């Protein structure tokens, strides 16, 4: 619903996984989210954080320029 309720870390108003805010309204690994409704972005902090490892739908969804993923 776009409102961060108790028990939620984020809320991006959808039920899609792989966009940074899970269907359970938890921030997914290798992502950061802020605001309500939440806007999420890929965070490359840590060697294990690649768009594929983060579950990104595609590199463009993770904000990674083409050819760098």
């Amino acid at each position: 619903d776009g409102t961060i309720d108790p028990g939620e870390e984020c809320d991006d108003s959808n039920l899609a996984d792989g966009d940074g805010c899970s269907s359970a309204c938890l921030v997914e690994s290798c992502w950061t989210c802020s605001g309500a409704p939440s806007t999420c972005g890929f965070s490359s902090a840590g060697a294990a954080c690649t768009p594929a490892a983060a579950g990104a739908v595609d590199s463009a969804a993770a904000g990674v320029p083409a050819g760098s993923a």
Side-chain angles (χ1 to χ4, degrees), residues 3 9 13 15 18 22 24-25 27-28 31 43 46 51-52 54-55 61-62 64 67-68:
T3 301
E9 296 177 355
S13 299
L15 298 176
S22 74
C25 294
V27 177
E28 296 174 312
W31 292 81
S43 172
V64 178
S68 64

Side-chain angles (χ1 to χ4, degrees), residues 24-59:
C25 294
L26 301 175
V27 177
E28 296 174 312
S29 179
C30 299
W31 292 81
T32 57
C33 300
S34 62
S38 299
T39 301
C40 301
F42 178 71
S43 172
S44 61
C49 290
T50 64
V57 175
D58 58 39
S59 295

